[in-house]
Amino acid sequence: MAYYYYNSINKMVTIIFFLVLVIDVTMVFGQGTRVGFYSSTCPRAESIVQSTVKSHFQSDPTVAPGLLRMHFHDCFVQGCDGSILISGDGTERTAPPNTLLRGYEVIDDAKQQIEAVCPGVVSCADILALAARDSVLVTKGLTWSVPTGRRDGRVSRASDASNLPGFTESVDAQKQKFAAKGLNTQDLVTLVGGHTIGTSACQFFSYRLYNFNSTGGPDPSIDATFLPQLQALCPQNGDGSKRVALDSGSVNNFDTSYFSNLRNGRGILESDQKLWTDDSTKVFVQRYLGLRGVLGLRFAFEFGRSMVKMSNIEVLTGTDGEIRKVCSAFN
């Protein structure tokens, strides 16, 4: 009886929090976008995107973290305008931080299906924002309401991607880049928490395992019992393209184990592990872990809030931009 009561209360709290989040999204983060933007002009848009993400995920689970990263990389460069999707020489997707992104075929597939029923209505930028949300859902995370109404940008330059946060950067440098986009320190920790799903190539962290900062030894922040495992996966002068889970032990589950790994010195990227060693970000990691003595936060809920904030960065709405016919090319 007590178990049933606990679960009933838990479900009720979840429903109330979700409703609050929907109200938050609609009232606070409007900026020309709104929940249900296509409810009359293309009512099947969101369900088409969701079913497409689910279908591709079932055959290739790597598309989920790929789409989540792609949305992040899109929003941090000229805003959430789908410019990351444009193919061709010198475009954003050819910039060094973007060359290993994956999931473009999912967006193209969803766009093609939507164009068949609602031609010229739904933007590629919105499809990407919805696909990012659905990528969390298929990896067992919570859903959230995505405000839509973005329009697609007409510019995509590789040189503009230089302001993306880097994997070697200090927390202060990361905070400055997030603040420039209207995102605070909690948003930083929350959004980087998206690394709870997906992998990284050895080339982006193997320098931590051997001669870190020319010290002749490994990064001291790496757990001593974890180091041999990483060295076995990424041997010195080995294959830099080999993929390693960013969240050891929970690569395809959207949960808080990523934060537990940071606490235990098992963060893969240098910039990730610094979230634990820097006091300004460590407190939010502790709150997501519910450690004694700190006010707890629910990561699953807060991630949706921060994603909504991020997805409204410098959006094009109204008559700005365009609605692309094909996501990989300007009209």
Side-chain angles (χ1 to χ4, degrees), residues 70-84 91-93 95 97-98 155-165 181 313-314:
M70 191 187 297
H71 183 44
F72 178 91
H73 285 220
D74 183 42
C75 291
F76 262 72
V77 181
Q78 297 192 77
C80 311
D81 65 350
S83 53
I84 188 73
T91 59
E92 279 180 41
R93 66 197 283 179
N98 298 331
V155 176
S156 181
R157 293 185 296 257
S159 57
D160 293 331
S162 60
N163 70 328
L164 282 165
K181 300 298 180 182
I313 293 173
E314 302 164 26

Coordinates of all heavy atoms in Angstrom, one line a residue, residues 70-84 91-93 95 97-98 155-165 181 313-314:
M70 N 23.8 18.1 -32.6 CA 23.6 18.9 -33.8 C 22.7 20.1 -33.5 O 23.0 21.2 -33.9 CB 22.9 18.0 -34.9 CG 22.9 18.7 -36.3 SD 21.9 17.8 -37.5 CE 22.8 16.2 -37.5
H71 N 21.7 19.9 -32.7 CA 20.8 21.1 -32.3 C 21.6 22.1 -31.5 O 21.5 23.3 -31.7 CB 19.6 20.5 -31.5 CG 18.6 21.6 -31.1 ND1 18.2 22.6 -32.0 CD2 18.0 21.8 -30.0 CE1 17.3 23.3 -31.4 NE2 17.2 22.9 -30.1
F72 N 22.4 21.6 -30.6 CA 23.3 22.5 -29.7 C 24.2 23.2 -30.6 O 24.4 24.5 -30.5 CB 24.1 21.6 -28.7 CG 25.0 22.4 -27.9 CD1 24.6 22.9 -26.6 CD2 26.3 22.6 -28.3 CE1 25.5 23.6 -25.8 CE2 27.2 23.3 -27.5 CZ 26.8 23.8 -26.3
H73 N 24.9 22.6 -31.6 CA 25.9 23.2 -32.4 C 25.2 24.2 -33.4 O 25.8 25.2 -33.8 CB 26.6 22.2 -33.2 CG 27.7 21.4 -32.5 ND1 28.9 21.1 -33.0 CD2 27.7 21.0 -31.2 CE1 29.6 20.5 -32.0 NE2 28.9 20.4 -30.9
D74 N 23.9 23.9 -33.8 CA 23.2 24.8 -34.6 C 22.9 26.1 -33.9 O 23.1 27.2 -34.3 CB 21.9 24.1 -35.1 CG 21.1 25.0 -36.0 OD1 21.7 25.7 -36.9 OD2 19.9 25.1 -35.9
C75 N 22.4 26.0 -32.6 CA 21.9 27.1 -31.9 C 23.1 28.0 -31.5 O 22.9 29.3 -31.3 CB 21.2 26.7 -30.6 SG 19.6 25.9 -31.0
F76 N 24.2 27.5 -31.2 CA 25.4 28.3 -30.8 C 26.0 29.1 -31.9 O 26.9 29.9 -31.7 CB 26.4 27.5 -30.1 CG 26.3 27.5 -28.6 CD1 25.2 26.9 -27.9 CD2 27.2 28.2 -27.8 CE1 25.0 27.0 -26.5 CE2 27.0 28.3 -26.4 CZ 26.0 27.7 -25.8
V77 N 25.6 28.8 -33.2 CA 26.2 29.5 -34.3 C 25.1 30.2 -35.1 O 24.2 29.6 -35.7 CB 26.9 28.6 -35.3 CG1 27.5 29.3 -36.4 CG2 28.0 27.8 -34.5
Q78 N 25.0 31.5 -34.9 CA 23.9 32.3 -35.6 C 22.5 31.9 -35.1 O 21.5 32.2 -35.9 CB 24.0 32.2 -37.1 CG 25.3 32.8 -37.7 CD 25.2 32.9 -39.2 OE1 24.6 33.8 -39.7 NE2 25.8 32.0 -39.9
G79 N 22.4 31.3 -34.0 CA 21.0 31.0 -33.5 C 20.5 29.7 -34.1 O 21.1 29.1 -35.0
C80 N 19.3 29.3 -33.6 CA 18.7 28.0 -34.0 C 18.0 28.2 -35.3 O 16.7 28.4 -35.4 CB 17.7 27.5 -32.9 SG 18.4 27.6 -31.3
D81 N 18.7 28.2 -36.4 CA 18.2 28.5 -37.7 C 18.4 27.4 -38.8 O 18.2 27.6 -40.0 CB 18.7 29.8 -38.3 CG 20.2 29.7 -38.5 OD1 20.9 28.7 -38.1 OD2 20.8 30.7 -39.2
G82 N 18.8 26.2 -38.3 CA 19.0 25.1 -39.3 C 20.2 25.3 -40.2 O 20.4 24.5 -41.1
S83 N 21.1 26.2 -39.9 CA 22.3 26.5 -40.8 C 23.3 25.3 -40.7 O 24.0 25.2 -41.7 CB 23.0 27.8 -40.4 OG 23.3 27.9 -39.0
I84 N 23.3 24.6 -39.7 CA 24.2 23.4 -39.5 C 23.8 22.3 -40.6 O 24.6 21.5 -40.9 CB 24.1 22.8 -38.1 CG1 25.1 21.7 -37.9 CG2 22.7 22.2 -37.9 CD1 26.5 22.2 -37.7
T91 N 30.6 25.3 -45.5 CA 29.4 25.5 -44.7 C 29.7 25.0 -43.2 O 30.8 24.4 -42.9 CB 28.3 24.6 -45.2 OG1 28.6 23.2 -45.2 CG2 27.9 25.0 -46.6
E92 N 28.8 25.3 -42.3 CA 29.0 25.0 -40.9 C 29.3 23.6 -40.6 O 30.2 23.2 -39.8 CB 27.7 25.4 -40.1 CG 27.6 26.8 -39.7 CD 26.3 27.1 -38.9 OE1 26.0 26.3 -38.1 OE2 25.7 28.1 -39.2
R93 N 28.7 22.7 -41.4 CA 28.9 21.3 -41.1 C 30.3 20.8 -41.5 O 30.7 19.7 -41.1 CB 27.8 20.4 -41.8 CG 27.8 20.4 -43.2 CD 26.5 19.9 -43.8 NE 26.3 18.4 -43.7 CZ 25.2 17.8 -44.1 NH1 24.2 18.4 -44.6 NH2 25.2 16.5 -44.0
A95 N 33.0 22.6 -40.6 CA 33.9 23.2 -39.6 C 34.4 22.0 -38.7 O 33.7 21.1 -38.4 CB 33.2 24.2 -38.7
P97 N 34.6 21.4 -35.5 CA 33.8 20.8 -34.4 C 32.6 20.1 -34.9 O 31.9 19.4 -34.1 CB 33.4 22.1 -33.6 CG 34.3 23.2 -34.1 CD 34.6 22.9 -35.5
N98 N 32.3 20.2 -36.2 CA 31.0 19.6 -36.7 C 31.2 18.4 -37.6 O 30.2 17.8 -38.0 CB 30.2 20.7 -37.4 CG 29.8 21.8 -36.6 OD1 29.6 21.7 -35.4 ND2 29.6 23.0 -37.1
V155 N 22.3 31.7 -44.3 CA 23.7 31.8 -44.2 C 24.3 30.6 -43.5 O 23.7 30.2 -42.4 CB 24.2 33.1 -43.5 CG1 25.7 33.1 -43.4 CG2 23.7 34.3 -44.3
S156 N 25.4 30.0 -44.0 CA 26.0 28.9 -43.3 C 27.5 28.9 -43.6 O 27.9 28.6 -44.7 CB 25.4 27.5 -43.7 OG 26.0 26.5 -43.0
R157 N 28.3 29.4 -42.7 CA 29.7 29.5 -42.9 C 30.5 28.8 -41.8 O 30.3 28.9 -40.6 CB 30.2 31.0 -42.8 CG 29.6 31.8 -44.0 CD 30.2 33.3 -43.9 NE 29.7 33.9 -42.7 CZ 28.8 34.9 -42.6 NH1 28.2 35.2 -43.8 NH2 28.4 35.4 -41.5
A158 N 31.5 28.0 -42.3 CA 32.4 27.2 -41.3 C 33.1 28.2 -40.4 O 33.2 27.8 -39.2 CB 33.4 26.4 -42.1
S159 N 33.5 29.3 -40.8 CA 34.2 30.3 -40.0 C 33.4 30.7 -38.7 O 34.0 31.1 -37.7 CB 34.7 31.5 -40.8 OG 33.5 32.1 -41.4
D160 N 32.1 30.7 -38.8 CA 31.2 31.1 -37.7 C 31.2 30.2 -36.6 O 30.7 30.5 -35.5 CB 29.8 31.4 -38.2 CG 29.7 32.6 -39.2 OD1 30.6 33.5 -39.0 OD2 28.8 32.6 -40.0
A161 N 31.7 28.9 -36.8 CA 31.6 27.9 -35.8 C 32.8 28.0 -34.8 O 32.9 27.2 -33.9 CB 31.6 26.5 -36.4
S162 N 33.6 29.0 -34.9 CA 34.7 29.1 -34.0 C 34.3 29.5 -32.6 O 35.2 29.3 -31.7 CB 35.7 30.2 -34.5 OG 35.0 31.5 -34.6
N163 N 33.1 29.9 -32.4 CA 32.7 30.3 -31.0 C 32.0 29.1 -30.2 O 31.5 29.3 -29.1 CB 31.7 31.5 -31.1 CG 30.4 31.1 -31.6 OD1 30.3 30.2 -32.5 ND2 29.3 31.8 -31.2
L164 N 32.0 27.9 -30.8 CA 31.5 26.8 -30.1 C 32.4 26.4 -28.9 O 33.6 26.5 -29.0 CB 31.4 25.6 -31.0 CG 30.2 25.6 -32.0 CD1 30.5 24.5 -33.1 CD2 28.9 25.3 -31.3
P165 N 31.8 26.1 -27.8 CA 32.6 25.7 -26.6 C 33.5 24.5 -27.0 O 33.1 23.6 -27.7 CB 31.5 25.2 -25.6 CG 30.3 26.0 -26.0 CD 30.3 26.1 -27.5
K181 N 25.0 33.8 -25.0 CA 23.8 33.3 -25.6 C 22.6 33.4 -24.7 O 21.5 32.8 -24.9 CB 24.0 31.8 -26.1 CG 25.1 31.7 -27.1 CD 24.9 32.5 -28.4 CE 26.0 32.3 -29.4 NZ 25.8 33.1 -30.6
I313 N 17.5 30.7 -28.9 CA 18.6 31.6 -29.2 C 18.5 32.2 -30.6 O 18.5 31.5 -31.6 CB 20.0 30.9 -29.0 CG1 20.2 30.5 -27.5 CG2 21.1 31.8 -29.4 CD1 21.4 29.7 -27.3
E314 N 18.4 33.6 -30.7 CA 18.5 34.3 -31.9 C 17.7 33.6 -33.0 O 18.1 33.5 -34.2 CB 20.0 34.4 -32.4 CG 20.8 35.1 -31.3 CD 22.3 34.8 -31.6 OE1 22.7 34.6 -32.7 OE2 23.1 34.9 -30.6

